[in-house]
Amino acid sequence: MIKLKNKAFKVLSVICLFFLNFLSAQSNYYDLDLDHLQDEVVLEKNLVTVHFGNKKTNSFELPEITALNNVSLGYTNPSEISIHYGGGRGLYGAVNLLYKKDWYIKNVNFYNPCQECEDQNFKILTKNINLPLKNIDPEALEIDSKGFKSLTFFDHQGIIKPYKDLKKLYEDLLSYPLLSERFNETGLLDFKKKFSLSQKNVDSYNNIAFALLNNGNYTGAIDLLKEIISKSPNRTVAYLNLADSYWNIGEKENGKEYYRKYISLMLTQKKDRSKVPGYVYTRVK
């Protein structure tokens, strides 16, 4: 059974559940256990109850998404149901549940409209979880209008293990700042062990370092950028990012050193000096 504990939004959760009490029960029929018998799935008061054709019955509470309160059932694939969530300001999301002799949370998708974005249905998060409901810490799926409130769902396997490529990790680091905050010494060790730096992935490494810098994890950015420079000493942008990182943690002399190296490389490599940020010249004075 899942019952999410969201202390910061207790009042809102109570209001949401009170509202759901007025909704009539939704009932759909699927063949979830593939026994060629119809299974009735009933959604009522935030509780899903499944009456299998073979008379077996079980129930579980839905994950509560505090920003979303209108819930409906959907059917995606054999053995799988979707719970659709809707809310104010165009927010919407879905939790996909899979039945394989037990109930699993397959993934979570959560969207927030962004009027300034090219894709106005801005995806705040998509997380492939694939864990049995009974094995999930109730607080692991706390979600608010900005995405997951906590990252405890990473703890059982570490931050890096779920990622198969650097591109996806970079995208998540950019869009989900809390992930950058958890990119600590252990996370860095796991990262470098799984994705060894090479000439082929140096661009991706630099992107990861930039995402950490952009989200305020300057220590993590410095660690990766120093490795990048040792591997590719002529990589100009790495010196700028490294200088920015040092400057932001108050080590301004180190920052000045790398700003000067950055300017020097721009000159020796005959790159467009107009692309040097104005603040760089101010800081090296």
Side-chain angles (χ1 to χ4, degrees):
M1 178 177 285
I2 289 184
K3 187 173 183 179
L4 300 191
K5 303 171 184 177
N6 192 326
K7 296 179 181 178
F9 289 91
K10 269 188 176 180
V11 175
L12 181 57
S13 296
V14 170
I15 293 172
C16 292
L17 290 173
F18 182 74
F19 172 77
L20 286 171
N21 285 337
F22 289 95
L23 296 178
S24 59
Q26 302 174 42
S27 181
N28 292 22
Y29 291 88
Y30 314 120
D31 182 11
L32 295 169
D33 51 1
L34 303 179
D35 63 353
H36 305 294
L37 297 174
Q38 281 194 327
D39 307 318
E40 183 182 18
V41 182
V42 180
L43 170 62
E44 185 174 18
K45 298 180 181 179
N46 218 41
L47 183 73
V48 174
T49 302
V50 181
H51 304 285
F52 289 94
N54 56 13
K55 308 305 180 183
K56 175 185 174 185
T57 298
N58 59 20
S59 300
F60 54 86
E61 291 188 43
L62 294 176
E64 294 176 20
I65 302 181
T66 58
L68 308 177
N69 52 28
N70 299 323
V71 186
S72 62
L73 277 170
Y75 179 69
T76 49
N77 299 304
S79 305
E80 187 175 329
I81 60 173
S82 292
I83 309 299
H84 300 284
Y85 295 79
R89 298 182 292 109
L91 294 169
Y92 67 98
V95 174
N96 293 316
L97 301 161
L98 180 66
Y99 183 79
K100 292 190 299 185
K101 298 183 179 180
D102 203 348
W103 284 102
Y104 289 73
I105 285 192
K106 184 178 180 182
N107 54 45
V108 175
N109 299 282
F110 187 42
Y111 296 82
N112 189 3
C114 173
Q115 300 302 322
E116 294 77 27
C117 302
E118 183 177 344
D119 179 3
Q120 293 189 354
N121 291 325
F122 180 69
K123 186 180 291 185
I124 293 180
L125 62 88
T126 297
K127 293 299 176 190
N128 295 319
I129 299 174
N130 292 317
L131 288 175
L133 294 182
K134 62 186 179 183
N135 292 352
I136 296 179
D137 181 342
E139 295 185 358
L141 289 174
E142 289 184 2
I143 304 173
D144 64 11
S145 60
K146 295 182 180 178
F148 284 109
K149 283 184 60 59
S150 71
L151 288 177
T152 54
F153 73 101
F154 280 119
D155 290 347
H156 72 286
Q157 54 187 351
I159 290 174
I160 301 303
K161 189 174 180 179
Y163 293 95
K164 296 180 180 180
D165 61 75
L166 290 171
K167 182 180 178 181
K168 177 58 177 169
L169 176 57
Y170 169 62
E171 290 172 351
D172 278 3
L173 285 170
L174 277 184
S175 60
Y176 193 33
L178 284 176
L179 181 56
S180 291
E181 291 179 17
R182 292 286 296 279
F183 215 102
N184 52 23
E185 184 177 349
T186 301
L188 285 165
L189 288 173
D190 290 343
F191 171 77
K192 288 187 281 189
K193 183 177 180 180
K194 183 170 184 177
F195 301 104
S196 299
L197 178 61
S198 67
Q199 292 298 335
K200 290 183 178 180
N201 67 10
V202 68
D203 287 344
S204 296
Y205 244 74
N206 193 84
N207 288 340
I208 299 295
F210 173 76
L212 295 177
L213 164 62
N214 191 58
N215 286 321
N217 187 344
Y218 306 120
T219 303
I222 289 169
D223 186 298
L224 296 184
L225 289 163
K226 290 178 78 171
E227 284 214 18
I228 291 168
I229 286 172
S230 68
K231 189 81 173 180
S232 301
N234 292 320
R235 189 173 183 80
T236 309
V237 69
Y239 290 92
L240 174 60
N241 292 336
L242 185 55
D244 286 342
S245 298
Y246 273 120
W247 192 272
N248 281 306
I249 63 171
E251 295 188 21
K252 295 188 176 180
E253 290 305 314
N254 280 333
K256 288 180 181 180
E257 175 187 345
Y258 287 107
Y259 282 133
R260 293 189 183 104
K261 180 64 176 177
Y262 165 66
I263 294 171
S264 174
L265 284 173
M266 290 292 285
L267 290 172
T268 57
Q269 294 177 9
K270 297 181 180 180
K271 295 189 175 182
D272 185 358
R273 289 184 60 187
S274 67
K275 293 184 179 180
V276 176
Y279 68 82
V280 171
Y281 296 110
T282 301
R283 292 179 179 181
V284 296
K285 289 181 180 178

